[in-house]
Each structure stands twice: as structure tokens, then as C-alpha cells.
Amino acid sequence: MTLDTEVVVPHSLWLPAKGVSEDEAPTMAITPAPPLEPPPLKNITLMLDWYLSPQHAALVVARERGLYAAQGLDVDIQSPADPSIAIKLLTAGDVDLALTRQPLLHLHAHEGAPITRIATLIETPLTAVIVMGAEPLEVEKNLAGLHYGYTTREGLNLSIPRLVPRSVQQTDDYSAPENLHFDPARALREGQADAVADGFFHFLPPQLATEGITTHLVRFDALDIPRYDGLVVLANSDSLVRRADTWSRFVLAVEEASHWIIENPTAAWELLVAAHPVLDNDINTAAWDDILRRMALSPAALDSKRYNAFEAYLLQRGQIDATFPLSRLAVDPHTL
């Protein structure tokens, strides 16, 4: 047989099989494949450090703009009934992430809590010593004689010892600091304390000012307390490596949100108050620009010198017995 050979196919080979129409096409050729279902989102619970405020903007914007979902995450943001329970819930495994301030991270970690910082939201302290009245001329002498209240452990353990010398604490007329139970405005208003060792300076002084109460601030750097991260995200260190990919994707979403906020501050504010109308008030609006300046644009980035310096400070002040290695306290989740 050559290429020129005529080939004749018997007629019987052209006949369709029994029961099959000549017009019937194969089913697979005309039925499209079912659409692929997107993988389910991974659920994460995040406990705030206290009630929702503008300092949490990156977390809210990441949710509202679908940035968590783009990373395969569904983040449930919760507010604690008591600010002291966020770290306890994280330690117990009842929440996946929790917010706090860097000093509390150090103090709780040295008490055995399995917690590690995976991101920074606010790069500078948001609290200061808030003192009733106008600033006096003899600031240092005046501060030593005040009756202090506190709402957090860093206020009691870090601020007050720097404000009141041991010699003053040993006098007969010394008034021990009082726990204000997270209600400093009432305490100052009613004269329970002369000063709050750890008040949120964006909110407490303006709130009191609306009532005609004058205050002034003493920043922590004036007390020689090292600079620290004002708001950090913690994960449980017992599952840190196993969940590293999840935490990396979470931080990527927060970083994208932070950059969008900085580029679109007005739109970000409108999105924030639309999602949570309770935030739409004069005090929060006035604080917005200053909070923007303090936001971390690289949340995962870790300032090792800052954390090591704070450990050294705590050791010097007798708050801890020995320093921890950096990896016990904080990590960049992208490097795990």
C-alpha cells in the first residue's frame, strides 16, 4: 500500500451503534465541569486590649476591605469584658491572638505565659502620666508628693517607682497607689487620685477637658523609661511554629491595610466609623491624625534592640531575675 492506494471502508463500519442516535454527542463534550469551590476561610479569634478605638484601625480596615479573606482568613475581632483577661484567654487557648502593650508582654512572659509578639500595630507608647491641674514649675518635687492611681501593671510596676522615690514611700504620710479598675476619669473627677500613672493621653485629657477639668502630661521618656511598642499582637508560643503560615498571612493583611490607611486617611476614617459608628465622636476625630503618625507600616518588622533594651531595663529595676532571649519574646512571623 502506497500513498496513492485507494482505500474503501465497508459500509457496515459507518453504521451507528444500536441505541445511539447519529446526532447524539458524547455527554462529556457538552457538560461543563462544575465550578471549583473556594477553600473555606480559616477562622481566627482576636481579642482586643480594651474597647475598640482608632488605634485598632488597621485590624478593622483589613476586615472591611476583604484583606483577611484574600489571605484565606476570617478574623473575629472581640472586645474583652475586662482588659486583664486578653492574655489569660490567649494563654489558655481560648483565643488565637491578643493585643497588649510591650511592657505587659515582658512581665507576663517572665511569669511563664506562653506568649510571643508577632506584629506591631503602634510603634510608640499611647499612655503617659496624667496629672490634675496645670504643670507646676517644680515638676519633679511636685510629682513625688502626689497620690497616684493606676489601671495597668506597667503603671504600678514601672511608672510609679520612677515617680515616687523609695525615701518618700517609706514616710508615714505616704499614700499607696490605688487600683482605679480601668475607670481613671471617675477617679480624677472625684478626687480619688491626683494623677493616673498610665492614662491614654489621646482620650483621657480631652474627656476631662469637656468637664472643665485641666490636666497635664508627663511622658515616659521623661521618667527614663525606654521607648517601647505601644500596641502589639500576641500569639501563643506553644503553637507558634505550627501556625507560622497563618500568622504570616494575617500580618500581610494588616500591613496592606496600614498602607491603605496612610495613603487614604480620610477614606479610612470614614470606613472606620461606618463600620463602628460608636467611634464617631469629637475626641476620636481629634486623635486620628496623631494615631496615624504612630502606626507601624511594617508590622512584622522586629526592633531587636528595643526589646533587648527593655529586658535590660526590667532587670536593672528588679522587675525580673534574668533576661530572656529575643526569640522568647518576639518574632518576625515571615521568618518562621
Side-chain angles (χ1 to χ4, degrees):
M1 179 180 294
T2 67
L3 293 175
D4 298 327
T5 304
E6 183 177 350
V7 178
V8 178
V9 180
H11 178 69
S12 61
L13 293 181
W14 289 101
L15 296 177
K18 287 185 178 181
V20 178
S21 168
E22 292 186 27
D23 298 329
E24 185 177 349
T27 302
M28 292 301 293
I30 63 174
T31 304
L36 294 176
E37 291 290 334
L41 300 179
K42 185 182 292 293
N43 296 317
I44 294 174
T45 53
L46 183 149
M47 183 65 69
L48 300 178
D49 52 321
W50 196 205
Y51 54 83
L52 188 70
S53 75
Q55 68 194 41
H56 305 124
L59 301 175
V60 175
V61 168
R63 182 191 64 199
E64 295 301 311
R65 288 183 57 79
L67 303 179
Y68 294 135
Q71 295 291 337
L73 305 176
D74 179 15
V75 180
D76 179 21
I77 302 173
Q78 303 176 0
S79 295
D82 180 329
S84 66
I85 69 171
I87 292 179
K88 296 176 184 177
L89 293 174
L90 178 63
T91 298
D94 294 328
V95 298
D96 300 301
L97 298 171
L99 301 190
T100 193
R101 297 167 298 283
Q102 184 187 335
L104 283 181
L105 161 64
H106 291 264
L107 295 173
H108 280 279
H110 278 277
E111 293 175 351
I115 53 178
T116 303
R117 171 266 184 208
I118 62 166
T120 297
L121 299 181
I122 303 292
E123 294 183 330
T124 61
L126 295 173
T127 56
V129 183
I130 299 176
V131 186
M132 292 283 283
E135 185 172 354
L137 295 178
E138 298 183 21
V139 176
E140 186 172 344
K141 180 180 178 180
N142 178 268
L143 292 176
L146 296 178
H147 177 44
Y148 287 95
Y150 63 92
T151 63
T152 64
R153 288 187 57 190
E154 65 261 40
L156 176 63
N157 295 350
L158 301 180
S159 303
I160 293 175
R162 299 295 293 159
L163 292 161
V164 185
R166 185 175 297 274
S167 59
V168 173
Q169 297 181 33
Q170 294 173 342
T171 59
D172 294 336
D173 59 349
Y174 171 65
S175 297
E178 290 191 48
N179 187 341
L180 304 182
H181 302 289
F182 307 105
D183 194 3
R186 178 201 55 78
L188 294 181
R189 185 187 307 117
E190 297 179 1
Q192 181 181 352
D194 301 318
V196 177
D198 47 13
F200 283 94
F201 56 77
H202 285 116
F203 310 112
L204 183 55
Q207 178 184 352
L208 293 172
T210 63
E211 304 174 28
I213 300 174
T214 302
T215 59
H216 66 276
L217 302 183
V218 179
R219 305 280 184 174
F220 289 154
D221 55 2
L223 304 177
D224 296 325
I225 297 176
R227 187 174 294 109
Y228 58 81
D229 289 349
L231 190 64
V232 296
V233 183
L234 305 181
N236 192 307
S237 54
D238 289 342
S239 57
L240 188 64
V241 174
R242 175 170 55 85
R243 305 187 71 179
D245 178 65
T246 297
W247 303 149
S248 179
R249 287 186 281 123
F250 168 81
V251 174
L252 285 173
V254 172
E255 179 174 338
E256 188 171 346
S258 299
H259 280 260
W260 185 82
I261 291 170
I262 294 299
E263 296 294 338
N264 305 276
T266 301
W269 176 252
E270 292 171 352
L271 179 61
L272 189 63
V273 297
H276 298 279
V278 68
L279 298 178
D280 192 6
N281 58 60
D282 291 341
I283 292 177
N284 286 337
T285 301
W288 181 238
D289 285 344
D290 191 55
I291 288 176
L292 290 177
R293 290 190 287 268
R294 301 170 186 272
M295 286 181 55
L297 294 182
S298 297
L302 177 58
D303 188 336
S304 59
K305 184 177 181 180
R306 174 174 292 192
Y307 281 77
N308 289 329
F310 209 86
E311 279 284 284
Y313 175 77
L314 292 176
L315 181 65
Q316 177 192 2
R317 300 297 301 174
Q319 295 293 326
I320 59 176
D321 297 326
T323 58
F324 276 160
L326 178 63
S327 59
R328 173 62 181 83
L329 298 166
V331 296
D332 177 341
H334 301 322
T335 64
L336 293 175

